[in-house]
Every structure is written in structure tokens, then in C-alpha cells.
Amino acid sequence: MTVKGYAKYLLVMAGLGGLLYGVDVGVIAAALPYIERTSTFSQDQIGLIVGMALWGSLPSSLVAGLLAEWFGRKKMIVASAMLFLISIPVICASGFFDGGNFWMMVAGRAMQGAAAGLFGVIVPMYLAECLDADSRGKGTGMFQLLLTIGLVFVAVIGFVVTSCIGDAKIVVDGKAIENGIVVYEQKTDASGSPVWKVDATGKALVGADGEKIPELAVDESGKPKPKLDREGKVIVDAKKIDFKLIKSWVAPEKITSWVRAWQMIFLLSCVPGLVLFVGAFRLKESSRWLYRKGRKDEAVDSLAANNGEEKAREILAEMIAADEAAAAEKAKNAAATDTLFQKKYVIPFILAVVILACNQTTGINSVLNYTVTIFQKTGMQGAFANVSDVAIKIMNCVMTIVACALVDKKGRKFLLKLGTSGIIVGLCGVGTIFLAISKQWVVPSMTTGVLATVFFFMFIGFYAVGPGVCVWLALTELMPTRIRANGMAIAMIINQGVSAGIATVFPKWCAATNDNGTVFFVLAGFTVVYFITAAFFLPETKGRTLEEVEKYFTTGKMPEKK
């Protein structure tokens, strides 16, 4: 294989780790409508199944760096792909039990999450260590690009399967309406306050769930009035629908087809995992890892595969020179030791942690998860809200391509400053719309919904151009070789912990503030911290070798370009 051919092969194969990361995040959304209607799982159990991929990624992220140091980057990429492939049949096997097998589903999702955690640490590290300074930005950006493609990939799978099998939600909701399992309007008094059922003493009655029982509004014939959505459709009371009811409404053959539908979604999603598993065997091991293990000849071969023999010798010479400089510095003081608490280790580690934490405090994951709901709250009709949601994810992918083209030309600092500035404007715009609605300055309408969509497009577009790609570079480029594996693992744990925390509290946070925009203004405030960090504390690493970046944190000055 030629040097150029292998360089492209490396990008595609390692980048598939990013695609599988995106598949892990998005596949459950495509399968969930069928799982909910073919299982006995409670809402709490469904929530655990959805979240288990994230929880499964936390421990694997923590040990990913250690495993990569022990066994090498290449072997761990192969192992991660294998773990992902094993998770698929475990998940699918749950569907062969009547009502599903909860623990098999949880176990499979945990394995998927563990694979995602390994991919998230090891693949960006591998790309950064294998690519030269001039292509490292574009190469590491490939991880984020394929991640966004992974989200679109599973969305398309879900769309195709639903088109072929039919929408289970529409069928079940239709049966629920036929059987009167709908949400009814609550009666209100003259002041507009809700009226509750009371006992003989006038105390509000409480149901088995501990909630007060509402007095229902009735129509002219004395029948309870169903609650209608903005499109004038009856709202189904999903809380009262269980698998036993569904089985009494729907033919067994139809339920079986729904089970096969969600199983097919998972099975089709494993195709890129299979390609990565087979293709990763032809990848070269990380040259930096080989060098640290004393295997210099193999390190040169690895470097030569995608840099050429002459360039490989130059890069190896830089590695040796960096080691000799570090040894000479230590020799100046016999008592000096290479402690991890030196400035050259602590400062880049703190910078990477701050950037990864700020990346999540933009609210990116929560916003992507709740876009349809947010659009509807700002006045956009249901169908348009779903179309806007799909459009946003496609734009996320397109703008990531733009970022990959710019990151090695304009630099990391420039894109991060540009991206965070746009995010701040977008979040403040959405927050202002919610504030105006909550203060009754405007009424939710198609106009306010479209305005919210514009600001969301701005938010997602600028995120993709800046933080979406640059965060992986910050994670890999800032960390010195000695702490890269374990430092990245710790930083990723913080990143995912912040993400999980925001995603968990986001709906309740919005409800607690009565959707007055406070949430979006707070997220914008965190993004200001992100902008300041990128603008004033982050060094520009464009066109710099990893050894030159490490020297910057040692001396406080970036070496002159050759």
C-alpha cells in the first residue's frame, strides 16, 4: 500500500471509531418506539436502558488509557470493535422473550457504552500520535465528522425500518383513543385555578401514585372533555398503557414484527463495527507508543507507513531530541524527579479538563435530545418541529465537514473563538424567546418557533465548526506523551460526567424555571468561560508536532518553526 493510500486507510478505519460512537448514542432513539410497545419494561427501566450506554462508558473511559498503555492503541481499537459487535446479539436476544428480557437489554447496552468509552479515548489518541503536524487537525476532525454521520446513519435506518414495518406508536395510540385511554381536561374555577376532587371534609383526594386527583371538565352532554394538542388531536395517556393492554389490542403477528423491527435496527447498526473490526488488523501500531516501549525500528516503520521514510526519520529524531532535552534538564539537578506535578504536566491537563467540561456546559447533548420538545414549546407545529430536528442533525454533519477543511488552515484557537462566540449568540437568542413567551410579551406561534429554529441552527452550526472538532484535538494535543493515555481518560470521565448531569436535570431545570429562558442564559454564561479559556490560555497547536507542544508547556514559549 502506498504512503498516501495508507494515510487515507488510517483515517477511514480509525475514523470508523467515531462513527460507532455516534451509533452508540443514536441507535436507541431509533429503536425505542418499538421497544416501548413490545416489552413489559416500566418507564424507569426504559430510562435505565437509554442511559446505560452512558453509564457503561464511564468505567471504560477511566481504564481506557491504562489499557492502551498496556496493550497498545491498535489492539484496543480491535477489542473495542469486538465488544461493540458482541453487544448487538445480547441486546437482540432480549426480544426472544415474551415482553423482553430487561437484564439482557441492560447488559447489552452497558457493553455498547463500554465500547463507546474506549473509542472516545483511544481513537483520537491514536490519530493524534500517528498523523503528522500538518494533517493532525483534519485527521482527528474525521472522528467528529464520522460521529455525526453515525447519528444520521442510525436515523436513516430507523426511518427505513419504520417505513417498511409501520409506526408502532400510531397503531397503539389509535387503539388507546378507541378505548378512551386519553388525557382529560382538568376543571378550573372562576379564577382559572385547577379544581381537585375532595372528600367529605373538603380535603383533596390522593391517588395510588401519591398525586392529587383532578376534577375533570365536562362537555354539554356531561362527558369528560379530552385534552387536545396544538394540532387539535386528542392526547393519549401513555402512563396507563402497558404491554398487557397492547397484547389485547394488537395481533401477535404485528407485535412480533415490531420486535423484529427494533432487532433489525440494532443488527444493521453493527455493519460499520464489523468493517472496523476486520480493517483494524491492517493498521500500524501507534509510533509514539512503540517508541516509549523501546521498539524504535517498529516505530519508524509505523511512521513511514503514512509519512514516508525520510519524514519518519525526522519525526523519530524529534522524539529522541525531546527525550534527551528532558534528561538533560533533569541532570541539572540530581535531586530532581520527573513528577507528574510539574508545570509541563499540570497546566495542559487542567486546560484539557476545562475545555472538555465547557464543551458539555454548552448544553449540546441536552439540546440535541430535546430539540423537538423545545421547538413545540416556542410555538412550532409538531410536523415542522420534527423536520427541523432532522435538518439540524444534517447541518451538524455538513458544518463538521467545513470544520475539517478549516482546522489545519485557520487553527484551533480561531475556530474555538469563532464557535463559542456563535454559541453564545444562539443560546441567548433562544433564551430571549422563552423569556418573551413566559413574560407574555409574545404569544407562542409559528413565528416564534421559526425564530427559535434560526437561533438553534446558529448554535449547532457554530458548535460543529468550533468545539465539535477542536475538542478532540485539545484532548490529544495538549497532553504530553507521558500522561496522554491516563490524562485523556480522566478528562473524558469529567466530560461525560458533566454531560450526564446536565442531561439528567435539563427537563426538570426548564420546568423549575417555568421555561423563562434562564437555562439557556446560564449555558451561555458557561460558554463565555469557554471563550475566555480558548482566547487567552490555549496555545495555537496548528502545524506543531506533539513534542513542540510539550516543549511549550515546559519553557512557556513555542519553538520556532523550522
Side-chain angles (χ1 to χ4, degrees):
M1 192 181 295
T2 65
V3 171
K4 287 186 177 180
Y6 178 76
K8 292 177 181 177
Y9 182 79
L10 183 152
L11 285 177
V12 172
M13 281 298 107
L16 279 175
L19 192 146
L20 289 179
Y21 194 101
V23 168
D24 276 342
V25 172
V27 68
I28 193 65
L32 201 57
Y34 291 111
I35 294 174
E36 287 180 320
R37 289 158 186 85
T38 57
S39 69
T40 57
F41 307 154
S42 67
Q43 285 302 306
D44 287 340
Q45 289 175 319
I46 289 289
L48 183 59
I49 289 169
V50 173
M52 187 49 65
L54 177 61
W55 295 115
S57 71
L58 291 177
S60 68
S61 295
L62 187 60
V63 301
L66 187 62
L67 294 174
E69 283 296 290
W70 284 351
F71 302 110
R73 284 50 162 160
K74 172 185 172 179
K75 288 180 180 178
M76 288 311 303
I77 290 174
V78 173
S80 302
M82 181 186 295
L83 184 61
F84 176 83
L85 290 174
I86 293 172
S87 73
I88 301 298
V90 174
I91 291 171
C92 291
S94 167
F96 294 115
F97 294 83
D98 185 40
N101 185 300
F102 173 69
W103 292 111
M104 289 186 74
M105 182 71 77
V106 167
R109 288 288 291 160
M111 292 167 68
Q112 278 195 325
L118 293 173
F119 286 133
V121 172
I122 296 169
V123 173
M125 183 196 325
Y126 176 79
L127 287 169
E129 292 181 347
C130 288
L131 299 171
D132 62 31
D134 293 328
S135 60
R136 193 170 58 242
K138 180 173 62 179
T140 307
M142 182 68 74
F143 181 88
Q144 177 67 15
L145 171 60
L146 286 174
L147 190 157
T148 63
I149 292 174
L151 292 172
V152 176
F153 174 68
V154 290
V156 170
I157 290 175
F159 174 77
V160 172
V161 169
T162 302
S163 299
C164 295
I165 304 298
D167 193 327
K169 183 179 184 301
I170 291 176
V171 174
V172 172
D173 285 0
K175 294 291 184 181
I177 292 172
E178 288 177 15
N179 289 273
I181 303 180
V182 299
V183 176
Y184 292 98
E185 281 190 29
Q186 185 170 4
K187 185 178 180 181
T188 57
D189 58 23
S191 65
S193 300
V195 176
W196 307 94
K197 285 188 176 182
V198 296
D199 58 18
T201 64
K203 186 179 179 180
L205 293 173
V206 178
D209 57 1
E211 299 291 331
K212 291 189 289 185
I213 302 173
E215 184 75 37
L216 300 180
V218 296
D219 57 23
E220 295 178 355
S221 64
K223 293 181 180 180
K225 294 170 62 177
K227 194 171 183 180
L228 305 178
D229 62 18
R230 285 195 178 96
E231 297 177 334
K233 297 178 181 177
V234 175
I235 301 173
V236 173
D237 192 349
K239 293 181 180 179
K240 293 182 180 179
I241 301 174
D242 57 22
F243 186 54
K244 185 177 179 180
L245 273 177
I246 293 174
K247 287 178 72 175
S248 69
W249 294 339
V250 182
E253 296 79 13
K254 176 65 73 174
I255 292 177
T256 300
S257 72
W258 292 345
V259 172
R260 299 293 174 265
W262 71 253
Q263 288 175 326
M264 185 59 64
I265 289 171
F266 278 102
L267 285 171
L268 290 174
S269 72
C270 79
V271 172
L274 186 61
V275 174
L276 175 60
F277 175 72
V278 174
F281 284 99
R282 295 193 64 188
L283 291 173
K284 300 286 187 179
E285 181 53 86
S286 161
S287 54
R288 262 79 178 185
W289 183 81
L290 290 169
Y291 175 76
R292 281 180 55 79
K293 296 299 180 182
R295 296 154 62 177
K296 294 184 181 179
D297 290 340
E298 292 177 70
V300 172
D301 289 340
S302 175
L303 285 167
N306 66 300
N307 293 286
E309 194 73 34
E310 184 179 346
K311 183 75 172 181
R313 295 290 177 186
E314 291 179 9
I315 297 173
L316 181 67
E318 288 179 358
M319 293 184 197
I320 295 172
D323 271 1
E324 290 176 348
E329 183 182 346
K330 190 187 299 184
K332 290 179 182 178
N333 184 351
T337 57
D338 192 25
T339 172
L340 293 176
F341 295 100
Q342 292 182 69
K343 180 179 73 172
K344 67 177 182 179
Y345 296 134
V346 173
I347 292 179
F349 174 75
I350 292 174
L351 267 177
V353 167
V354 170
I355 287 173
L356 260 76
C358 286
N359 213 62
Q360 293 303 326
T361 55
T362 60
I364 182 64
N365 287 341
S366 297
V367 168
L368 285 175
N369 287 336
Y370 297 103
T371 45
V372 175
T373 301
I374 293 170
F375 288 151
Q376 290 174 342
K377 285 182 177 179
T378 55
M380 184 168 282
Q381 300 301 314
F384 289 102
N386 282 282
V387 170
S388 297
D389 178 48
V390 173
I392 273 182
K393 287 174 180 172
I394 292 174
M395 189 195 67
N396 186 25
C397 182
V398 172
M399 295 307 292
T400 302
I401 296 174
V402 174
C404 288
L406 293 176
V407 68
D408 282 320
K409 295 178 180 179
K410 294 296 185 180
R412 289 58 156 155
K413 280 177 71 78
F414 173 79
L415 291 184
L416 277 176
K417 289 189 290 184
L418 176 67
T420 51
S421 298
I423 290 170
I424 292 167
V425 175
L427 286 172
C428 288
V430 176
T432 301
I433 291 172
F434 271 98
L435 178 64
I437 292 172
S438 69
K439 295 289 186 181
Q440 297 184 344
W441 298 335
V442 297
V443 176
S445 65
M446 202 59 187
T447 301
T448 54
V450 169
L451 279 173
T453 304
V454 170
F455 284 117
F456 267 110
F457 267 73
M458 179 181 291
F459 168 67
I460 298 298
F462 278 98
Y463 176 87
V465 165
V469 167
C470 293
V471 66
W472 301 107
L473 286 164
L475 182 59
T476 54
E477 291 181 335
L478 294 179
M479 299 284 191
T481 301
R482 182 182 168 188
I483 68 166
R484 184 173 297 121
N486 292 326
M488 284 180 63
I490 295 170
M492 277 296 291
I493 284 289
I494 294 171
N495 174 73
Q496 290 169 319
V498 173
S499 174
I502 292 177
T504 300
V505 305
F506 190 82
K508 293 182 179 178
W509 191 8
C510 290
T513 56
N514 296 314
D515 291 321
N516 64 6
T518 299
V519 173
F520 299 98
F521 291 126
V522 171
L523 296 177
F526 284 127
T527 310
V528 171
V529 175
Y530 199 170
F531 174 85
I532 292 171
T533 303
F536 300 105
F537 298 99
L538 189 70
E540 180 55 74
T541 56
K542 179 189 73 170
R544 297 292 186 172
T545 66
L546 298 180
E547 288 68 35
E548 286 176 330
V549 176
E550 184 171 344
K551 190 172 182 180
Y552 167 81
F553 287 111
T554 302
T555 64
K557 183 179 180 182
M558 192 69 77
E560 294 291 333
K561 285 192 176 182
K562 297 178 181 178

